[in-house]
Amino acid sequence: MKRWIVGIDVGGTKIAASLGTIRGLLVAKRVLSSRGGAQSTEVIGELCETVRRLLNERKLKPQHILGVGLAVAGAIDTEKGVILKSPNLKRWERIPLKKILSRSLHMPVFIENDANAAAVGEHCFGSGRGVDHFLYVTVSTGIGSGIIANGVLVRGTSGTAGELGHITVVPGGNKCQCGKQGCLEAYASGTAIASAVKRALRKGAKSRYFNKIRLNRITGKDVTLGALRGDRLAVRVRETAADYLGIGLANVVNLLNPRCIILGGGVVEKVDHFWHPMLKALKREAWPMALARCRITRSKLGSRVGDLGALAVVLSACRNSFE
Ligand SMILES: [Zn+2]
């Protein structure tokens, strides 16, 4: 029986290939540098070799594998298995990845957007187990999200559903990397938080903590660490970002009436200076009847969400064979 799955998490700086069981137990993992600028054929060849090695180590054959799941940042045509647009892998765009990989590996291949894969991962193995209506949100350098409604991933008409990071929170506001202005991502992501600190410092805001870091080197992570050490500027900027995130989540609560919202990513630590203002804004903006039944929680999967999400893509696609 096919009890094994290969999950491939294609990130900005690395590609991780994992071998796991259908119950979500990760047993082996190999990491390749993703080399965003490299020719896709070269990287795909290396990826196939890595998958074969993962199987060989366990003496597994393609017939033991339920499928290979890929979680990739960007717009994906999941049916055709083509990356339409990816911020990390510009040379991979329009490449029929599913076809190439399945021919080379002799296994079924499924490709999904990374935030959607993470939502499916939470549904199969994490905080979303047994929950049929929820939103998974990851807040790190950007903001991604995936919607599970009636137990199924919502992709929308052309696969772009769940782009919470690009709902407008300030019309005509800060420029977003997507080309629009005023997106939630331009106010509440780690990148936006770092930019807000830099803007404040340029305007003369005082901070002993940030004095030690070169202005153009400040990252969202630095701001989190600064806030945890009590730096007032860091706390204030993160509180403002948390308020915007709360507004974004309130819109989702009003629109979808989810049973829970699962938050992941480095920005959304469950620390008072972030969590409280986020919940406060959520309570202020959401419809009380919708919010009353909605649980706000941190992801249980943590840093494993990328690997487990990629595994879950296969389980979700093959669900019918289990029912
Ligand atoms: Zn945007």
Side-chain angles (χ1 to χ4, degrees):
M1 182 162 169
K2 298 182 182 211
R3 294 185 181 279
W4 301 87
I5 304 174
V6 174
I8 300 170
D9 181 20
V10 184
T13 53
K14 63 179 173 57
I15 298 176
S18 307
L19 179 69
T21 68
I22 54 172
R23 304 225 175 267
L25 183 72
L26 293 165
V27 294
K29 180 170 172 172
R30 280 177 179 260
V31 177
L32 296 78
S33 66
S34 92
R35 294 168 300 164
Q39 287 293 347
S40 58
T41 44
E42 193 187 315
V43 183
I44 292 167
E46 198 182 330
L47 185 56
C48 289
E49 197 42 52
T50 304
V51 172
R52 282 188 207 105
R53 239 179 275 151
L54 271 177
L55 265 58
N56 285 342
E57 281 166 9
R58 295 257 156 184
K59 301 197 169 29
L60 294 170
K61 299 263 181 282
Q63 57 265 34
H64 298 124
I65 308 293
L66 187 62
V68 180
L70 279 94
V72 185
I76 314 292
D77 180 334
T78 51
E79 265 177 40
K80 293 197 179 112
V82 176
I83 300 172
L84 299 176
K85 197 164 178 53
S86 173
N88 308 323
L89 306 161
K90 296 212 164 30
R91 292 192 175 195
W92 290 46
E93 285 165 14
R94 301 269 164 199
I95 287 176
L97 196 55
K98 182 183 173 124
K99 207 192 261 178
I100 298 172
L101 288 177
S102 55
R103 274 187 190 162
S104 169
L105 294 168
H106 308 289
M107 291 180 260
V109 174
F110 307 93
I111 306 178
E112 191 60 78
N113 161 273
D114 58 349
N116 283 352
V120 177
E122 291 289 346
H123 197 213
C124 289
F125 310 121
S127 307
R129 269 185 89 163
V131 183
D132 278 348
H133 302 276
F134 74 87
L135 179 82
Y136 170 79
V137 185
T138 173
V139 188
S140 56
T141 49
I143 297 181
S145 68
I147 303 163
I148 301 286
N150 298 316
V152 177
L153 176 69
V154 177
R155 293 199 186 91
T157 307
S158 51
T160 71
E163 286 294 344
L164 181 71
H166 304 286
I167 62 163
T168 305
V169 287
V170 180
N174 292 348
K175 202 156 195 286
C176 180
Q177 55 85 24
C178 76
K180 271 186 357 111
Q181 277 179 279
C183 296
L184 179 61
E185 186 166 295
Y187 285 86
S189 65
T191 311
I193 287 171
S195 300
V197 165
K198 288 179 208 167
R199 271 199 305 275
L201 290 169
R202 278 194 200 103
K203 282 184 185 167
K206 295 279 175 279
S207 159
R208 262 197 211 165
Y209 180 79
F210 290 111
N211 275 348
K212 291 176 230 153
I213 309 169
R214 281 222 340 243
L215 193 69
N216 56 4
R217 289 262 172 98
I218 295 170
T219 63
K221 202 172 177 184
D222 293 325
V223 187
T224 304
L225 290 173
L228 288 171
R229 287 179 195 169
D231 180 82
R232 280 195 187 173
L233 173 62
V235 169
R236 181 162 54 80
V237 166
R238 277 180 52 89
E239 277 177 354
T240 306
D243 188 80
Y244 280 115
L245 183 62
I247 293 169
L249 297 181
N251 284 323
V252 172
V253 167
N254 292 352
L255 187 70
L256 298 174
N257 187 201
R259 182 71 189 88
C260 76
I261 293 177
I262 303 166
L263 295 158
V267 173
V268 200
E269 294 298 331
K270 208 167 175 177
V271 286
D272 290 352
H273 72 264
F274 196 92
W275 205 257
H276 284 169
M278 181 188 74
L279 291 183
K280 204 169 138 194
L282 189 48
K283 279 183 190 148
R284 188 182 71 225
E285 306 294 340
W287 210 35
M289 266 173 73
L291 188 60
R293 296 279 317 272
C294 183
R295 191 164 51 94
I296 314 293
T297 184
R298 278 275 302 169
S299 161
K300 271 187 206 161
L301 303 182
S303 59
R304 292 177 302 149
V305 73
D307 304 322
L308 289 172
L311 293 192
V313 165
V314 178
L315 277 183
S316 165
C318 303
R319 180 176 288 162
N320 292 340
S321 61
F322 287 98
E323 285 171 352

